[in-house]
Amino acid sequence: MRIAKHIFVVVVIVATMAITATLALSSERSAEASNETVLELQYTTHPEDSVAIPALIPHPRSVVAHEGSCQIEHSARIGYGAEELLPAAKYLANHLGLQVSDKRSAIMLTYDPAMQGEEYRISIGQSGVWVVGGCYAGLFNGITTLLQLLPNEVYNGTLSYPISLPNCDIYDSPRWEYRGFMLDVCRTWMDKEAVMAFIDLLAYHKINTLRLHLTDDEAWRIEIKSHPELALEGGFRGGDSPIWPRYGKWNERWGGYYTQEDMRQIIAYARQRNITIIPEIDLPGHSLCIATLHPEILCDYKANTSRAFGYDTRTAFCASSEENYALLDDILREVCALFESEYIHIGGDEVDVSQWRRCPNCQSLMRQRAMETTEELQHYFVSRVSEIVSSYGKRAAVWNEAIEGGRLLGDTRVYCWEGIKESRQSAAAAYRTIVMPGQYFYFDMKQSQREPGHDWAAIFDWTKVYNFSLEGVGFTSEEIANVEGLEASFFSELYASHNPESADYLHYQTFPRMVAFSEIAWIDASECDTDTFYQRIVAHYDRLDAMGVAYRLMPPKVEYAGGKLSASTDDGSKLYYYVEPENIETEYREPIVTSTPARYSFISRRGKASSPKAAVEAHFRTITPKFDITSSMSDSEKFSFDKAEGYGRLARTTRAADVGDWVMFTFAEPVECRRMKVSTGNFQLPRYTFENGFVEVSYDGHTFERVGDIECGGLVIESPKRAIKCVRITSTSRGNGAEWVSIQPPTIWPKL
Ligand code: TNX
């Protein structure tokens, strides 16, 4: 324990705060303090005992370190200078295990009316610890920084006292007013506690907005009292629910929804952490869930549902139906009353306008209003819904496609996900613009080629996020003036087929990309330097460990030279290796002498974090022997079986599979391999699959042997006993909630 060199008599007169510090003799220290008076404030300063300032993320604008440190005792208190700051004081007190007080205390949280926006300052020194902001948000930002100045145990409630803080002065303010994150709780259900736990992580990274994607094709997640069936039925899919299962969890009724009371608790929890919750009701597309419960919202024509065994897969609200606007009025009235945010997001992305083209009523509305394009009809729909939202005192927010068909209300906020071009267009058109191009900020994208995730926008790790800047991608200063901020997001199609009951996959995809996002949403791009930032990230890993985050480490470096295989990391993680075919995890301690390096693969771990698998390139090599696809179902003209036979692309059947339908891969020559993956469904996404089924192999092309049940549409056959001539996948379920089955080429890893 640090020994106090000096115990200062800290007499503080805080006239402006009208708080009088109560002086009292601390019996414990009275001997040491001799005739000096020690405050009940319970801190001591140590002018010669400096404490290093830890790596801070995001980096504050100004950090001035001073000699010495400030030692806080367990009996210290957290004082708040205004009643409105009590929630912030409680938040900090909770982390520190201290009591709050409305008196002058060792740690003081106060307002300074001269400070603007989200500015804050921290000063630590002879007068204790002061966190000062011009408003709650500013002050809370200061608290977030203060947590980073404290030992990492502050994040898991195991702090031990006394604690020493570095004497310093910090001044800070964010570049972007809007620092957002979007969470898709539809494709994967995340309950109230999971959302709150994620809010904690956002708050630690100074993110101030959480947009909850509450409705989509796969779910309706918010209670609407005037239409209780929406959440009661639409919150669950599979089993006996009318909503078709998707992305895994094929056989059970799975999901959940937030009652309005749950949501009020989430909102309050977020508010205390300086986070505004913005709801998204995704309209008029992405509405299969509500359409399954209310088919009357669909366009006025009879869909041909034979390919999907009677399931209507239409996803769009009819734009011409007055009843639809009345229904949306009911829904949005409750949504507007429930949420505190200024904005309500009403969607507008990826509308399948072919439904409007086929609808006689949409067509006649278009003629009547002299609309020439479906973009104009979309504009009509979005404008109508925006008016509903305005009538309840809110502003509308939309996805970028919604601005295509005409001018929306002036205060509409536009979320630009498709790319830089779309983001610039929105800003150039003087919309309040949120920049969130998938290529940089979609944390559902893969972080490297062989890791889980989508790849439609890009494959990227935190370095790409960190190197983003509006200037760097060509925004003009006029455009930048209309940007309110940045948003990162996590769409969750691929989470449901992992283990959504644990946060590991969510964490792996979002951290440390979120850490990089936290900094670029806060500081000027010109101040960013990737190398020094990596050092700060590694220091920040200690905090993430304490928070229990299962983040992604950078892949270990693997080298093979002179008959020796070696692996290394630079982040304090431990290395482990596996040897094919046994693949038993073993701790790596020293270079491995081997003539078959391709049999080895490595991962690293620290805390709950892990790296992707790394190995010499030959380990990952796959082969493409010639094969044919045959099936009990016919193939589509455009996506014929030979597309998959050529490797690389998908094939499609012309309908969903029934019980007993099968697809078979027959190799020209029997294939020897160490592993083979066969799969129905899209490449990364378990959709358009056989929902249940089994896989058989044949070594001679005549007799078949069952090797396992499919999981998420496919199966990995490990260490086949002999060379494989045929593989057959057979469906044991009827339908898949879609109009076809996708067939992938097999992935085959040769023997090593
Ligand atoms: C595009 S982002 C979508 C989502 C998907 C996401 C997957 C947006 C407006 N639409 O529906 O979940 O890609 O990355």
Side-chain angles (χ1 to χ4, degrees):
M1 202 182 75
R2 200 179 292 279
I3 310 289
K5 298 272 169 47
H6 299 263
I7 298 182
F8 274 80
V9 181
V10 189
V11 182
V12 187
I13 301 154
V14 198
T16 50
M17 308 306 307
I19 295 170
T20 320
T22 331
L23 301 177
L25 208 60
S26 153
S27 56
E28 197 185 320
R29 293 211 215 94
S30 54
E32 220 181 325
S34 62
N35 57 356
E36 293 177 354
T37 313
V38 179
L39 286 179
E40 193 184 54
L41 297 180
Q42 301 295 353
Y43 71 89
T44 50
T45 56
H46 303 256
E48 282 151 27
D49 220 346
S50 293
V51 171
I53 296 182
L56 301 173
I57 293 180
H59 201 272
R61 278 181 199 268
S62 156
V63 179
V64 180
H66 301 303
E67 293 275 285
S69 57
C70 179
Q71 185 171 301
I72 309 283
E73 303 297 326
H74 196 206
S75 42
R77 291 185 182 226
I78 295 169
Y80 52 100
E83 202 54 37
E84 308 88 85
L85 296 180
L86 182 56
K90 284 188 174 161
Y91 173 84
L92 182 60
N94 222 349
H95 281 81
L96 290 166
L98 301 180
Q99 302 291 313
V100 299
S101 163
D102 58 2
K103 310 258 170 2
R104 165 73 173 98
S105 305
I107 300 172
M108 283 303 293
L109 311 180
T110 65
Y111 278 141
D112 173 356
M115 297 196 91
Q116 314 254 316
E118 286 193 75
E119 276 182 338
Y120 71 90
R121 66 174 183 267
I122 295 176
S123 66
I124 303 176
Q126 281 197 21
S127 43
V129 177
W130 289 78
V131 183
V132 184
C135 61
Y136 188 92
L139 182 105
F140 189 85
N141 291 327
I143 289 180
T144 312
T145 302
L146 179 62
L147 293 179
Q148 296 194 359
L149 293 170
L150 287 155
N152 300 323
E153 291 73 30
V154 75
Y155 293 106
N156 62 17
T158 59
L159 212 50
S160 54
Y161 283 85
I163 46 178
S164 289
L165 281 159
N167 283 354
C168 61
D169 279 295
I170 293 178
Y171 164 76
D172 201 5
S173 70
R175 171 164 185 197
W176 298 110
E177 198 178 307
Y178 183 105
R179 304 176 300 280
F181 193 82
M182 192 228 73
L183 194 58
D184 167 11
V185 292
C186 283
R187 275 59 173 269
T188 299
W189 164 238
M190 293 172 231
D191 64 18
K192 181 179 78 180
E193 288 72 26
V195 172
M196 286 175 168
F198 200 69
I199 286 173
D200 279 330
L201 300 181
L202 295 174
Y204 293 146
H205 294 86
K206 294 190 171 69
I207 304 302
N208 66 2
T209 310
L210 171 61
R211 200 153 60 79
L212 288 177
H213 185 73
L214 290 172
T215 73
D216 209 305
D217 291 328
E218 296 81 359
W220 187 283
R221 299 272 184 228
I222 181 72
E223 177 191 23
I224 302 295
K225 292 191 196 270
S226 56
H227 297 274
E229 71 289 356
L230 290 176
L232 279 173
E233 299 258 23
F236 300 85
R237 59 181 190 246
D240 61 358
S241 166
I243 311 302
W244 205 279
R246 283 267 181 96
Y247 310 131
K249 312 261 182 204
W250 310 116
N251 305 315
E252 52 192 294
R253 181 182 159 90
W254 185 74
Y257 65 91
Y258 312 106
T259 62
Q260 295 197 1
E261 180 47 34
D262 287 337
M263 192 49 76
R264 270 189 284 274
Q265 289 173 20
I266 293 174
I267 292 167
Y269 191 84
R271 188 200 312 118
Q272 184 185 20
R273 288 154 180 77
N274 186 34
I275 290 178
T276 302
I277 306 281
I278 297 183
E280 177 184 355
I281 305 295
D282 199 353
L283 308 165
H286 284 272
S287 297
L288 175 62
C289 178
I290 183 170
T292 304
L293 302 170
H294 286 280
E296 70 279 8
I297 70 159
L298 291 165
C299 282
D300 186 20
Y301 65 91
K302 198 161 167 30
N304 177 357
T305 59
S306 62
R307 297 172 62 197
F309 298 109
Y311 192 70
D312 192 339
T313 56
R314 287 180 292 170
T315 51
F317 272 79
C318 175
S320 72
S321 149
E322 282 307 312
E323 289 78 11
N324 279 356
Y325 297 108
L327 171 65
L328 291 171
D329 193 292
D330 284 350
I331 292 170
L332 291 166
R333 182 189 321 123
E334 291 189 39
V335 170
C336 291
L338 177 59
F339 289 87
E340 295 170 354
S341 59
E342 187 185 5
Y343 282 93
I344 304 294
H345 200 296
I346 56 170
D349 62 316
E350 301 180 312
V351 186
D352 174 7
V353 291
S354 69
Q355 295 163 41
W356 292 348
R357 287 204 186 99
R358 287 186 60 185
C359 172
N361 300 340
C362 285
Q363 290 304 309
S364 90
L365 178 69
M366 284 178 72
R367 278 192 301 276
Q368 210 182 315
R369 296 188 162 253
M371 296 179 198
E372 280 165 15
T373 63
T374 45
E375 281 80 16
E376 288 169 87
L377 186 55
Q378 154 134 330
H379 173 77
Y380 170 84
F381 181 93
V382 173
S383 301
R384 290 281 306 263
V385 178
S386 301
E387 278 159 24
I388 297 173
V389 166
S390 320
S391 76
Y392 295 116
K394 301 286 191 183
R395 292 172 162 169
V398 295
W399 291 111
N400 63 256
E401 294 101 306
I403 64 173
E404 281 160 21
R407 186 83 203 163
L408 294 171
L409 292 175
D411 56 9
T412 305
R413 180 187 271 169
V414 183
Y415 286 74
C416 303
W417 66 282
E418 284 185 288
I420 302 300
K421 188 176 99 215
E422 292 77 4
S423 307
R424 290 189 56 193
Q425 272 164 359
S426 162
Y431 284 113
R432 296 160 189 230
T433 298
I434 303 297
V435 177
M436 56 176 313
Q439 297 78 1
Y440 295 85
F441 297 149
Y442 269 33
F443 296 168
D444 52 324
M445 296 298 137
K446 294 177 182 214
Q447 300 179 76
S448 72
Q449 184 58 47
R450 285 180 289 264
E451 286 180 80
H454 286 292
D455 62 7
W456 67 259
I459 297 175
F460 61 93
D461 63 17
W462 65 266
T463 55
K464 179 162 178 188
V465 182
Y466 194 67
N467 284 292
F468 177 85
S469 77
L470 291 180
E471 295 82 358
V473 296
F475 275 68
T476 64
S477 48
E478 291 76 31
E479 288 160 4
I480 291 177
N482 293 323
V483 173
E484 291 185 302
L486 311 180
E487 187 169 281
S489 70
F490 178 74
F491 282 95
S492 63
E493 292 98 325
L494 288 161
Y495 186 9
S497 55
H498 284 76
N499 175 15
E501 282 67 36
S502 115
D504 289 10
Y505 181 75
L506 170 66
H507 286 172
Y508 188 90
Q509 296 297 64
T510 53
F511 286 90
R513 290 192 279 201
M514 182 86 78
V515 181
F517 180 76
S518 155
E519 180 140 308
I520 61 154
W522 187 271
I523 73 175
D524 288 332
S526 58
E527 292 164 31
C528 293
D529 173 74
T530 310
D531 291 339
T532 57
F533 185 64
Y534 183 55
Q535 287 160 22
R536 282 192 286 129
I537 286 196
V538 171
H540 193 71
Y541 284 168
D542 289 333
R543 295 192 189 105
L544 297 180
D545 288 339
M547 294 170 200
V549 178
Y551 52 96
R552 175 200 188 256
L553 293 161
M554 292 300 261
K557 286 206 172 47
V558 175
E559 269 171 328
Y560 183 63
K564 278 188 179 174
L565 184 63
S566 58
S568 60
T569 61
D570 56 4
D571 53 20
S573 58
K574 261 197 184 168
L575 279 159
Y576 300 85
Y577 70 97
Y578 306 84
V579 195
E580 304 257 355
E582 296 83 8
N583 277 326
I584 297 164
E585 183 169 311
T586 313
E587 195 177 329
Y588 171 84
R589 292 172 199 277
E590 58 192 1
I592 299 162
V593 179
T594 175
S595 57
T596 53
R599 292 175 58 215
Y600 293 77
S601 60
F602 299 82
I603 67 156
S604 70
R605 296 212 175 109
R606 51 172 286 170
K608 290 174 82 180
S610 56
S611 75
K613 201 170 159 192
V616 295
E617 202 46 44
H619 175 85
F620 297 108
R621 195 169 67 88
T622 55
I623 50 173
T624 54
K626 211 173 145 19
F627 74 98
D628 278 333
I629 295 178
T630 46
S631 173
S632 58
M633 296 168 283
S634 51
D635 54 345
S636 98
E637 222 166 275
K638 193 160 163 218
F639 302 93
S640 49
F641 287 152
D642 58 7
K643 294 284 184 320
E645 287 162 359
Y647 288 92
R649 294 196 54 193
L650 292 173
R652 278 185 194 176
T653 62
T654 50
R655 59 169 173 84
D658 202 347
V659 177
D661 273 321
W662 53 269
V663 174
M664 186 157 76
F665 304 87
T666 304
F667 295 97
E669 296 300 330
V671 175
E672 269 215 77
C673 64
R674 75 185 200 276
R675 183 179 307 123
M676 182 182 291
K677 179 182 162 231
V678 285
S679 211
T680 60
N682 285 4
F683 279 123
Q684 297 97 11
L685 195 65
R687 192 170 167 191
Y688 309 108
T689 57
F690 283 8
E691 299 202 341
N692 292 287
F694 56 88
V695 177
E696 297 156 300
V697 297
S698 172
Y699 306 110
D700 59 6
H702 303 293
T703 47
F704 283 81
E705 176 179 308
R706 187 160 164 156
V707 287
D709 290 339
I710 60 169
E711 215 176 285
C712 293
L715 182 73
V716 177
I717 305 162
E718 287 287 351
S719 310
K721 289 185 283 204
R722 288 155 57 192
I724 295 177
K725 176 68 181 166
C726 309
V727 185
R728 186 166 63 198
I729 314 178
T730 302
S731 165
T732 53
S733 49
R734 180 180 168 85
N736 61 1
E739 298 176 342
W740 68 84
V741 178
S742 296
I743 315 283
Q744 301 179 18
T747 313
I748 306 164
W749 290 267
K751 287 221 149 152
L752 293 170

